[in-house]
Amino acid sequence: MSDEIIRRDPRAEWIARNRLHPLHDAMQQAGAAETRGPSGLIRRNPHAVGFIGPNGIKRIDRMNGNGPAVGGRRSAGAAKEVELPLHKVENPDYYVVVVPDMVGGRLSGHDRDVIGQAHKLIREGEGAGAVLAVVFGEHREEAFDKAGVDRLLNITGEAFEGYTPELRVAALEQVEKEYAPKYWLLPDSVAAGFELGCRLAARIGERPATQAWQVSSEEAICRGAGGTTDITRKTPRLMLLAEECAEPIDETRHEVLPVELEASVSVQAVIQDCGQVAVDPNAIPLGEAEFILSAGNGVTDWNQFHQAAEALGATEGASRVAVDDGNMPRFRQVGATGTWVTARVYVAVGISGAVQHLQGIGQCDKVIAINTDVGCDMVKRAALSCIADSGEVMAELIRLANAYRQEVVENAA
Amino acid sequence: MQPDKQNANLRIAALVSVGKHPGSGRARRAEQDARAVEMGLAMAPQGLEVLHAGDPHAEALRAYAGMGLKKIRILQQGENADAVPALSQYLGESKPDIVLTGVRAESGESSGMMAYLLGEKLGMPVVTRIAEIVSIDNGQANLLQALPRGQRRALRVPLPFVASVDMAAAAPRQSAFGPASRAEMEAKKADVEVRDEVQASWSEAPARKRPKRLKVVKAKTAADRFKAATAKSSGDGGKVLRDKPASEMAQAVFDLLLEEGVIR
């Protein structure tokens, strides 16, 4: 039997039964948390559930305050953003170092996956580990905490701007010396991760697992032979991880404590970066072009269209109608039967947006439509639409682009 | 690019491997290595040495020879031997000006580490993913590096250096059967043969299909789950400009293009 004797309070019970008793409401409120019946079981009072609605009718909220606000009663609670719990590592036993790509100064989806993998390795291992992210140069990321970064080592300086693989590897070598991380994780990406990871591996003499897509603290599965075989191996210290290797962090916030390198890094760089080269936009394959100006049935002046593409520096594309009519070559066709494009910015001139065409531009970020018909599907898809004659707008665009180029040249001179 | 007199004394080593067709799995010339050979033939046809470490009887090597090579030098070693010690030993003695490799092999581990390990051992700078060697002057090479989305970056490196050749480089010429069978396969036992012990402990299997990532809805209530399941993905539409002068609309479009950073 329990060592705690349950005492009945006959008076309280009597007041609870008598709803007209002056103390009834107060006692019901006080005892709302837990009421024990005579046998010691917890009793729930069904009468106490819910509240009296505006019409004097009793209402039961079965959505625990998450439903749409009624009469402003719950509006305050609904609008509040949920504060995620803070994950703290006071004195880390070891570090897992992640070197994100930071394409455009922000964490990419691939970077987040890699940080998620780092936390997975920490959870599987013993002791409290911290994820240390090494970021080179200025960054524009604001949500390191939500991505799962415990410590942030931001190495800035003019020397780190641009393409400086030798200097970066020297900095990572210094990190290796000072922090002796348990794991090195880098994204296996074209952007920077693959190159940096290989250079680091060659420098510190680790044999990396490349294209690793399933990693635990015991073993790692990597793609080998150009992606046609799976290699299962013991988890090494340095890994280049494939995309979607692990789930990104989304349920916790992290501290993002800034840390510094004790020693400064300097090397005599041999590789000299002479900057990006202007490339002919029409020489870039349509599938990987960044900026596409695409023409459809609504374009009448084709010379003007080519001029506009040249002035804006855009790769040319076309809808199926334009190709079938012989105005554009077949390899310029965008859509399900042509090329599936991945452009960041896609300008559709006089294209109404057949389903096949919209499929082909499914991966584009920003679509701009120039069309005379406001009800067409392309206008619905577009982030910005101009309802006007395409010729007039293109003429204005050519003028603006030329004026902009002129201004840049004058400023440079 | 036409070979000119400046490059007459240039010595290039192109490292080739046995490739693997992604569909049929048959041995072939590896695409990136073939581009490296093509680049070497275009730069200095006289000073090009094509080098392979492994089995001298591999049929796929003939496909490189068919590109117009007189001979291919082979450092003969066993199947499980590590290619890096043998190659670095040989290259350390022959001292070429440029070492060309592919970015990643099509068979074996295909880790892409070869160029970096050689660079580290030989003490040469490593440039990755080059698309073209533009010119060589005063012991410095001007290179174009391939970036994602068809962009190029200009680099300048002093000779000698190791470079990995990207798929963006000039496509390799066809391989002809006659020259391929006439070419000399100069096989020599590698001076050092190190067995790859680490690799022996791995298990290898045909690639499994990777599971597709599911869109997990972490909703607290039934209403949120319902909303997530039924909501349109991109229903809100964008800004629509109408009944305005064309100049104003064009300005709005141009501003967006500038903001996205696609106007260079």
Side-chain angles (χ1 to χ4, degrees):
Chain A
M1 274 298 286
S2 68
D3 41 5
E4 175 191 359
I5 301 164
I6 291 161
R7 303 250 177 227
R8 291 180 63 187
D9 184 352
R11 180 169 171 273
E13 283 172 17
W14 178 69
I15 292 173
R17 281 200 300 278
N18 182 1
R19 277 189 284 163
L20 298 176
H21 194 281
L23 292 178
H24 174 81
D25 279 346
M27 286 197 75
Q28 286 299 99
Q29 291 288 326
E34 198 175 86
T35 317
R36 288 190 182 271
S39 62
L41 289 174
I42 294 172
R43 311 309 300 240
R44 211 169 125 247
N45 178 9
H47 298 292
V49 176
F51 59 95
I52 305 298
N55 301 343
I57 299 171
K58 187 165 194 174
R59 297 285 178 198
I60 299 173
D61 179 13
R62 297 197 190 279
M63 305 192 39
N64 299 325
N66 287 304
V70 179
R73 196 185 68 84
R74 272 171 276 140
S75 58
K80 202 164 55 188
E81 202 185 322
V82 200
E83 178 109 319
L84 297 170
L86 183 66
H87 174 88
K88 268 191 180 174
V89 190
E90 298 280 353
N91 294 309
D93 300 334
Y94 59 88
Y95 288 98
V96 176
V97 178
V98 172
V99 189
D101 277 344
M102 304 298 286
V103 179
R106 295 197 178 84
L107 287 174
S108 64
H110 197 168
D111 294 338
R112 284 171 203 278
D113 295 345
V114 173
I115 297 174
Q117 178 68 60
H119 280 285
K120 195 174 154 222
L121 285 170
I122 290 175
R123 278 198 302 275
E124 284 174 11
E126 285 166 12
V131 174
L132 170 67
V134 183
V135 173
F136 295 104
E138 299 295 328
H139 66 82
R140 286 187 277 166
E141 177 65 50
E142 285 149 11
F144 275 122
D145 55 341
K146 282 180 186 152
V149 176
D150 295 316
R151 303 283 188 278
L152 180 67
L153 174 60
N154 193 359
I155 304 176
T156 50
E158 215 164 87
F160 284 94
E161 300 297 329
Y163 178 69
T164 54
E166 292 154 315
L167 197 57
R168 290 177 185 210
V169 168
L172 292 182
E173 212 184 344
Q174 190 61 35
V175 173
E176 163 84 11
K177 269 187 207 141
E178 289 183 19
Y179 291 91
K182 190 175 179 189
Y183 295 109
W184 280 96
L185 303 182
L186 291 100
D188 196 341
S189 62
V190 190
F194 168 66
E195 183 188 349
L196 206 55
C198 288
R199 280 180 195 273
L200 178 68
R203 182 64 58 83
I204 65 176
E206 287 287 338
R207 186 159 186 171
T210 53
Q211 285 288 340
W213 59 275
Q214 206 177 79
V215 179
S216 69
S217 53
E218 298 296 317
E219 60 177 26
I221 305 180
C222 323
R223 284 275 197 256
T228 54
T229 58
D230 273 342
I231 298 172
T232 310
R233 56 194 285 187
K234 228 175 122 247
T235 302
R237 252 188 88 215
L238 199 155
M239 275 174 282
L240 304 179
L241 299 161
E243 242 170 304
E244 300 195 356
C245 52
E247 292 293 328
I249 296 292
D250 59 353
E251 284 180 333
T252 44
R253 275 182 310 131
H254 295 253
E255 294 169 292
V256 203
L257 293 179
V259 290
E260 298 278 331
L261 277 182
E262 281 159 21
S264 62
V265 184
S266 66
V267 283
Q268 190 63 44
V270 176
I271 302 171
Q272 198 184 330
D273 180 9
C274 307
Q276 279 207 23
V277 186
V279 283
D280 175 16
N282 278 333
I284 303 171
L286 197 57
E288 58 179 71
E290 192 176 23
F291 174 30
I292 297 177
L293 184 71
S294 197
N297 204 20
V299 173
T300 45
D301 188 349
W302 287 92
N303 284 332
Q304 189 196 31
F305 171 75
H306 296 308
Q307 273 173 26
E310 200 188 333
L312 293 170
T315 308
E316 289 180 8
S319 75
R320 190 179 154 177
V321 186
V323 172
D324 281 354
D325 291 351
N327 292 314
M328 291 286 276
R330 181 63 71 191
F331 66 90
R332 292 273 166 221
Q333 185 183 328
V334 174
T337 44
T339 313
W340 293 59
V341 297
T342 57
R344 251 183 346 103
V345 180
Y346 185 85
V347 184
V349 185
I351 299 178
S352 59
V355 179
Q356 290 85 348
H357 194 84
L358 291 180
Q359 279 171 1
I361 61 168
Q363 287 185 53
C364 297
D365 285 346
K366 277 258 157 41
V367 177
I368 303 172
I370 301 173
N371 211 310
T372 46
D373 176 13
V374 73
C376 69
D377 288 336
M378 186 57 85
V379 171
K380 286 181 193 140
R381 166 73 169 82
L384 175 69
S385 322
C386 301
I387 310 303
D389 180 56
S390 63
E392 289 171 23
V393 179
M394 273 201 291
E396 286 295 325
L397 274 178
I398 294 171
R399 191 182 60 75
L400 281 170
N402 289 337
Y404 176 77
R405 291 272 146 74
Q406 194 85 35
E407 203 174 304
V408 169
V409 169
E410 276 169 17
N411 285 348
Chain B
M1 184 180 159
Q2 289 296 317
D4 47 27
K5 288 192 183 111
Q6 271 189 336
N7 298 337
N9 300 326
L10 195 67
R11 291 174 59 236
I12 301 179
L15 311 186
V16 297
S17 63
V18 175
K20 186 175 162 190
H21 191 275
S24 65
R26 280 176 66 170
R28 61 163 185 182
R29 63 171 184 184
E31 298 226 290
Q32 290 167 348
D33 295 348
R35 280 172 165 78
V37 173
E38 172 67 43
M39 191 177 277
L41 280 172
M43 284 295 295
Q46 300 306 319
L48 175 71
E49 179 169 47
V50 176
L51 198 60
H52 173 73
D55 178 17
H57 304 295
E59 269 309 299
L61 293 178
R62 292 271 170 198
Y64 295 105
M67 291 167 74
L69 303 172
K70 292 260 171 5
K71 70 171 179 190
I72 291 183
R73 188 177 294 280
I74 297 158
L75 306 177
Q76 188 174 358
Q77 54 178 9
E79 203 178 317
N80 297 323
D82 192 352
V84 176
L87 285 172
S88 59
Q89 165 93 13
Y90 180 81
L91 292 172
E93 282 165 13
S94 72
K95 293 199 172 52
D97 298 317
I98 303 175
V99 179
L100 297 174
T101 72
V103 176
R104 266 187 160 148
E106 293 174 3
S107 53
E109 189 187 354
S110 82
S111 65
M113 284 290 292
M114 173 65 84
Y116 303 93
L117 291 172
L118 283 179
E120 200 68 29
K121 287 217 167 153
L122 301 172
M124 295 186 191
V126 182
V127 276
T128 48
R129 294 186 179 276
I130 64 168
E132 197 183 331
I133 299 176
V134 182
S135 63
I136 291 171
D137 50 62
N138 304 331
Q140 299 250 335
N142 293 312
L143 310 173
L144 281 185
Q145 187 183 33
L147 300 179
R149 292 199 176 279
Q151 303 296 314
R152 299 280 185 273
R153 181 191 282 139
L155 297 177
R156 201 168 156 77
V157 211
L159 297 176
F161 63 89
V162 182
S164 62
V165 179
D166 191 81
M167 285 297 283
R173 61 192 69 180
Q174 277 191 350
S175 175
F177 181 77
S181 39
R182 280 194 293 277
E184 184 192 348
M185 294 291 179
E186 195 178 307
K188 184 187 87 167
K189 193 105 180 67
D191 293 337
V192 276
E193 184 166 339
V194 181
R195 202 168 163 265
D196 194 343
E197 296 293 344
V198 184
Q199 196 161 17
S201 67
W202 301 347
S203 66
E204 210 168 306
R208 266 190 290 151
K209 208 172 174 193
R210 283 185 63 182
K212 222 175 178 181
R213 177 177 280 177
L214 297 173
K215 200 178 139 207
V216 181
V217 180
K218 285 192 175 153
K220 290 280 186 300
T221 62
D224 286 350
R225 279 195 294 277
F226 182 72
K227 213 187 281 167
T230 55
K232 273 192 224 162
S233 52
S234 58
D236 53 347
K239 214 166 98 184
V240 179
L241 304 175
R242 59 192 305 187
D243 303 331
K244 282 184 186 158
S247 60
E248 209 170 297
M249 292 184 185
Q251 187 66 51
V253 171
F254 196 73
D255 288 346
L256 184 63
L257 297 180
L258 278 182
E259 189 188 310
E260 288 292 324
V262 288
I263 304 272
R264 287 181 221 282

